Amino acid sequence: MAVKKREKDLTLLEKMYIPEIVKGLSLTMKNMFKPKFTMKYPEEKFIPPASYRGRPVLVMEENGEERCVACGLCSRVCPALAIEVQAAETEREKERYPVKFEINMLRCIFCGFCEEVCPEEAIVMSKDYELAFSHREDAIYGKDKLLTPVIQLKDRIEFLRSYK
Amino acid sequence: MPKFVLDGKEIEFKPGQTIIQAAKDHGITIPHFCWHESLSVAGNCRVCLVEIEKMPKLAIACSTTAAEGMVVYTASEKALGARNAVMEFLLINHPLDCPICDEAGECKLQDYAYSHSAGESRFVEEKNHKDKRVPLGPYVMFDGDRCISCSRCIRFCDEIAKDNELTFVKRGDRVTITTFPGEELDNPYSLNVTDICPVGALTNRDFRFRARVWDMSANKTICTGCSRGCNIELWVRNNEILRITPRQNEEVNTFWMCDHGRINTFKFVNAEDRVDGPHIRKEGKLVKVEWNEALTQAASKLKKFAKNEIAFIGSAFATLEDNYLLVKFAHSLGVKNIDFIRHYIPSFADNILRREDMTPNSLGAEAVGVKPSQGGLNIDGIINGIKEKKIKAVYLIDDDIAAAFPELEEELAKLDLLIVNATNINKSASVADIVFPAATYAEKNGTFVNFQGRVQRLKPAVATVEDDRALDGLEMSRLDKFGTKFDRWAQGHKYDAKSSWKILSALSIEMGFKLKFNMAEDVFSEIAKNTKAFSGLDYDVIGELGAQSKLQPEEKIITT
């Protein structure tokens, strides 16, 4: 078996590795004083920009009522069939409201179609990305978890309007 | 036959026919709102404007009679321009509330706005507002904002229901529809106006806001409200019937059905008192048991009685197949006492669709032999027999003898054996010894014979435990197609119920004589083979619109 001879042997300096260690450490030292990109999650939280598509939520007006009129378009357009809406009649001016509105967060793929199709600007993508469940049933979000005050969603709504 | 040219295609017409009707007969639809095949011509929506050569102005296709050599364009520049303009006018005052409106998805105005409109409105002023949410009658709700004043509903009441209840009031853009003073829209056919309303102005109060049309499947079947047997569609979501609409059949019901059929004939299917699984009376109470236990017990008890102590009661609510198996079962035992209960309400009948006979299949029940054999007792004889304790065992399918003869309730409880195939816990089932869960008309295949002697097919719309929507050929909605069994919209309750003929077939095997069939279709082909009246018929020949049997139409109703 032929053994190929090394083209060049290491010099003494190279054999000591000291210059290389200094080189490496100096890079580390340099970066220690540069601005950081990482975060101490979960002590520190990432606040996404308005364009971020977190979990979809229902907009709750200041008077505590939902904007949603239960037209069912979000449910129709949802490619993952995550949304279930049951309408009913109300005394309000818009005579239809969702008596049940459920999103299965195990099915949701955060595509944002529901937000795009909504004629009432009643379902928007929030900045909430913390979705962990210990049980399948917990992943089905009803109106109690979905309704979010409009004030918290101002960012997203303004972002959407700027693209209309 | 004379001919005229429509969009470059020569088509034939009957003299006197309008352009729109002649086009429709050849499968060409000219856009229209106010025109309806079976109503008079009003000509007020103007959307059917077409260009006709040598005519100075555009003409409406719905009231212009076709003439030999006429050359009509429905899609010329002028015609399209006019159609767009008409659509723009109609949409000026029509609210943009499709998300709230129940008609969305089956709305003519919505469809035409997509296909025949520029899509942009130049109207910037405030829209006209009229009364919303006006209950016109017990079943119909009116929304003035959405009305496009086509007058179809007014003409329907005048011409079909023959009850002048609705009228236009006010003029110009304030025109609206109302009932005459002191009147209500309460004729027996009032809900048909919700079908013919091209927009969401008239809605069914029983169905409002319950479901979107695209979430339901439409299952073609037959109404069980009376012996007319109107052709209908059952709209089902999550294994629950939500509404009924009529289906066109020129021979039976044309376009219509009555409110009784539409409102009262489907709620029991998903009612709380449905029989779910076989029940046996143990220590005075009905207890749910396994099929095997119920069948063995029914068989061993039936065997203890002499031939003349048993009576079989068929049903005009049950299909031909159910009744046929009951007759075969009775004859195999040598029992001669067999008949069914008539349900006649003379005051229910009218000259439009409704019939005195409140059952869908009395002609069929008789035709397959649900009548006493030589020396057997008819229904009156059976009732007397029960009272005199000569009849000791009764087998009843798909009917409620205790409700039909209230004086009999106590006697029935005292019977040695009462076996009932029941859909719901009714008066008879609650005093029965053994209750088999019968499938409702919405859960089985089968055939009915209406008063004309027309054989019509029932198709299942609601799945029972043994059915699978896809494999058993039930209509599938979008959710049915894409959901898995773990999804909540696919978890509507399935009842453990079987068609009466299947129950009788299973029981016959326990009894030791085998009446074995795999499908309702097999039972029907045997009926067709053995009964002259149905010879030559099978499920394919019957199809969606039914087929005439050789039975004589029921001319006069015998009132008892």
Side-chain angles (χ1 to χ4, degrees):
Chain A
M1 200 172 73
V3 176
K4 201 183 173 192
K5 200 170 181 304
R6 205 185 312 209
E7 276 179 17
K8 186 189 149 215
D9 279 325
L10 293 178
T11 61
L12 182 71
L13 216 58
E14 277 167 345
K15 274 182 189 162
M16 279 160 62
Y17 288 105
I18 285 174
E20 294 305 312
I21 288 169
V22 172
K23 243 197 228 170
L25 278 177
S26 67
L27 188 71
T28 310
M29 297 298 279
K30 226 171 25 189
N31 274 301
M32 273 173 77
F33 299 101
K34 275 193 175 167
K36 283 171 216 144
F37 289 101
T38 52
M39 244 173 222
K40 287 182 198 157
Y41 183 84
E43 286 81 21
E44 247 176 77
K45 295 259 165 88
F46 163 60
I47 299 169
S51 61
Y52 186 82
R53 295 200 303 263
R55 78 173 169 97
V57 293
L58 288 175
V59 180
M60 183 167 73
E61 298 281 21
E62 272 134 23
N63 60 7
E65 285 170 359
E66 67 278 294
R67 279 187 185 174
C68 175
V69 295
C71 68
L73 286 185
C74 49
S75 157
R76 175 65 184 83
V77 79
C78 182
L81 293 113
I83 306 177
E84 194 182 347
V85 189
Q86 177 59 54
E89 187 165 4
T90 131
E91 290 302 310
R92 280 181 245 156
E93 199 203 331
K94 290 178 175 176
E95 41 189 351
R96 192 185 176 99
Y97 87 107
V99 65
K100 180 170 103 175
F101 195 109
E102 289 181 347
I103 303 185
N104 186 344
M105 292 312 297
L106 289 174
R107 271 184 171 262
C108 179
I109 55 167
F110 308 94
C111 64
F113 281 10
C114 48
E115 176 187 54
E116 203 171 316
V117 79
C118 184
E120 302 281 332
E121 210 174 55
I123 187 166
V124 296
M125 307 304 275
S126 68
K127 295 182 178 181
D128 185 4
Y129 49 83
E130 289 177 314
L131 297 158
F133 322 104
S134 52
H135 210 271
R136 267 168 196 259
E137 271 72 50
D138 297 345
I140 294 162
Y141 282 15
K143 264 170 83 175
D144 53 327
K145 283 183 185 162
L146 291 173
L147 281 172
T148 314
V150 63
I151 201 108
Q152 291 175 29
L153 303 164
K154 236 178 99 196
D155 250 19
R156 182 68 182 178
I157 291 172
E158 272 165 23
F159 168 79
L160 291 173
R161 285 187 182 161
S162 68
Y163 280 91
K164 257 176 192 161
Chain B
M1 272 218 275
K3 286 173 186 172
F4 74 102
V5 180
L6 184 74
D7 287 336
K9 206 177 128 192
E10 204 165 59
I11 62 173
E12 287 183 343
F13 66 95
K14 294 185 197 99
Q17 247 184 345
T18 55
I19 297 176
I20 202 168
Q21 180 70 58
K24 199 191 170 198
D25 291 350
H26 287 82
I28 302 162
T29 312
I30 297 174
H32 58 273
F33 287 118
C34 69
W35 180 76
H36 191 284
E37 225 178 325
S38 65
L39 299 177
S40 63
V41 174
N44 58 8
C45 77
R46 315 306 290 181
V47 87
C48 63
L49 282 171
V50 290
E51 190 180 348
I52 301 170
E53 260 179 28
K54 292 174 190 160
M55 274 212 187
K57 288 198 284 184
L58 300 181
I60 45 175
C62 68
S63 81
T64 311
T65 32
E68 176 75 50
M70 209 178 224
V71 182
V72 183
Y73 301 100
T74 66
S76 69
E77 204 177 313
K78 253 176 141 182
L80 283 180
R83 201 175 298 152
N84 279 345
V86 170
M87 281 305 295
E88 199 176 341
F89 272 127
L90 287 174
L91 290 169
I92 280 181
N93 278 319
H94 192 83
L96 257 178
D97 69 345
C98 304
I100 298 171
C101 179
D102 244 357
E103 190 84 357
E106 51 182 5
C107 173
K108 259 184 136 68
L109 191 67
Q110 202 182 27
D111 293 349
Y112 287 2
Y114 275 96
S115 50
H116 303 298
S117 156
E120 283 286 329
S121 176
R122 288 173 285 172
F123 188 75
V124 288
E125 292 80 6
E126 173 84 354
K127 288 189 185 231
N128 221 341
H129 290 294
K130 293 172 192 167
D131 291 342
K132 291 177 88 77
R133 268 190 268 195
V134 188
L136 286 185
Y139 301 126
V140 180
M141 190 73 97
F142 175 62
D143 186 315
D145 270 358
R146 294 183 192 142
C147 178
I148 58 166
S149 312
C150 71
S151 82
R152 268 183 173 189
C153 49
I154 299 175
R155 279 175 287 147
F156 173 82
C157 289
D158 293 353
E159 294 161 20
I160 307 289
K162 301 265 184 339
D163 199 348
N164 309 39
E165 285 161 336
L166 295 177
T167 183
F168 277 134
V169 285
K170 302 187 186 167
R171 290 291 175 271
D173 62 358
R174 287 183 208 88
V175 67
T176 187
I177 283 168
T178 185
T179 49
F180 284 104
E183 286 247 24
E184 262 196 320
L185 178 60
D186 57 358
N187 69 63
Y189 297 89
S190 68
L191 274 170
N192 288 302
V193 299
T194 63
D195 294 328
I196 55 171
C197 183
V199 291
L202 294 166
T203 45
N204 181 345
R205 291 173 76 178
D206 189 58
F207 174 68
R208 261 161 81 86
F209 306 125
R210 290 193 65 194
R212 281 308 197 185
V213 282
W214 56 79
D215 281 342
M216 296 181 285
S217 61
N219 300 267
K220 294 182 174 124
T221 185
I222 305 299
C223 176
T224 55
C226 76
S227 64
R228 168 75 56 175
C230 290
N231 289 213
I232 55 164
E233 278 179 344
L234 291 177
W235 294 76
V236 175
R237 186 190 64 182
N238 198 8
N239 220 31
E240 189 187 352
I241 306 173
L242 296 177
R243 70 164 175 180
I244 301 181
T245 55
R247 166 163 74 89
Q248 189 188 352
N249 187 337
E250 287 303 322
E251 305 296 323
V252 183
N253 58 319
T254 58
F255 297 90
W256 322 113
M257 73 183 293
C258 75
D259 293 353
H260 165 73
R262 199 187 300 240
I263 299 288
N264 300 334
T265 61
F266 71 92
K267 286 181 182 154
F268 72 96
V269 176
N270 289 90
E272 283 190 355
D273 62 354
R274 269 304 292 279
V275 186
D276 198 3
H279 287 68
I280 287 182
R281 190 166 298 279
K282 285 179 180 168
E283 291 157 10
K285 268 188 177 172
L286 282 176
V287 186
K288 190 173 171 176
V289 294
E290 289 297 314
W291 277 96
N292 276 343
E293 189 184 340
L295 287 169
T296 344
Q297 208 178 107
S300 66
K301 280 190 173 171
L302 260 182
K303 278 178 192 163
K304 287 179 193 157
F305 296 94
K307 285 176 202 171
N308 54 1
E309 290 174 342
I310 308 177
F312 281 87
I313 301 174
S315 168
F317 291 107
T319 60
L320 274 185
E321 289 78 357
D322 295 335
N323 281 311
Y324 179 75
L325 257 263
L326 186 85
V327 171
K328 243 188 144 178
F329 193 96
H331 290 174
S332 306
L333 284 177
V335 174
K336 289 174 179 169
N337 310 325
I338 173 164
D339 205 352
F340 67 97
I341 306 165
R342 274 83 176 167
H343 299 262
Y344 293 134
I345 304 181
S347 64
F348 181 76
D350 60 23
N351 292 327
I352 306 169
L353 294 177
R354 295 178 171 215
R355 308 283 307 175
E356 294 103 311
D357 185 353
M358 301 293 284
T359 58
N361 194 30
S362 46
L363 216 57
E366 237 163 276
V368 293
V370 186
K371 51 192 165 197
S373 326
Q374 198 88 50
L377 297 172
N378 65 2
I379 190 75
D380 296 328
I382 293 171
I383 286 159
N384 283 331
I386 295 170
K387 282 181 189 158
E388 290 160 14
K389 311 238 173 334
K390 280 181 194 157
I391 298 287
K392 289 175 181 161
V394 172
Y395 197 122
L396 168 71
I397 66 164
D398 297 44
D399 209 333
D400 192 353
I401 185 171
F405 304 96
E407 76 275 9
L408 218 61
E409 205 174 331
E410 273 178 34
E411 312 286 340
L412 285 168
K414 285 182 209 149
L415 273 177
D416 290 345
L417 178 64
L418 175 60
I419 306 178
V420 176
N421 290 2
T423 58
N424 297 58
I425 293 287
N426 52 27
K427 280 186 176 170
S428 308
S430 53
V431 296
D433 299 295
I434 298 170
V435 181
F436 286 111
T440 61
Y441 77 102
E443 291 160 334
K444 60 185 175 190
N445 275 300
T447 42
F448 282 156
V449 183
N450 80 348
F451 78 100
Q452 301 160 306
R454 194 177 178 82
V455 188
Q456 306 192 92
R457 258 201 79 184
L458 278 183
K459 276 186 187 166
V462 174
T464 58
V465 168
E466 56 180 25
D467 295 325
D468 178 285
R469 283 202 91 82
L471 299 178
D472 291 297
L474 280 72
E475 295 295 328
M476 309 270 279
S477 69
R478 189 179 68 108
L479 293 175
D480 295 327
K481 277 179 201 154
F482 298 114
T484 68
K485 61 176 176 175
F486 304 107
D487 287 308
R488 284 152 301 135
W489 66 78
Q491 284 174 2
H493 188 72
K494 285 182 171 181
Y495 291 96
D496 184 8
K498 284 180 184 176
S499 314
S500 277
W501 72 261
K502 278 188 190 165
I503 298 169
L504 287 162
S505 170
L507 190 57
S508 74
I509 293 164
E510 288 290 326
M511 300 283 288
F513 48 92
K514 286 182 184 168
L515 307 175
K516 221 177 158 201
F517 297 93
N518 289 323
M519 293 188 291
E521 203 170 346
D522 301 341
V523 183
F524 189 82
S525 40
E526 193 179 304
I527 298 174
K529 214 166 60 191
N530 296 345
T531 320
K532 254 192 189 161
F534 304 117
S535 65
L537 294 181
D538 64 36
Y539 275 15
D540 292 335
V541 174
I542 296 167
E544 281 175 357
L545 295 177
Q548 187 65 35
S549 70
K550 292 177 195 79
L551 285 174
Q552 281 301 310
E554 208 170 282
E555 291 293 342
K556 268 186 194 163
I557 299 288
I558 324 103
T559 38
T560 44

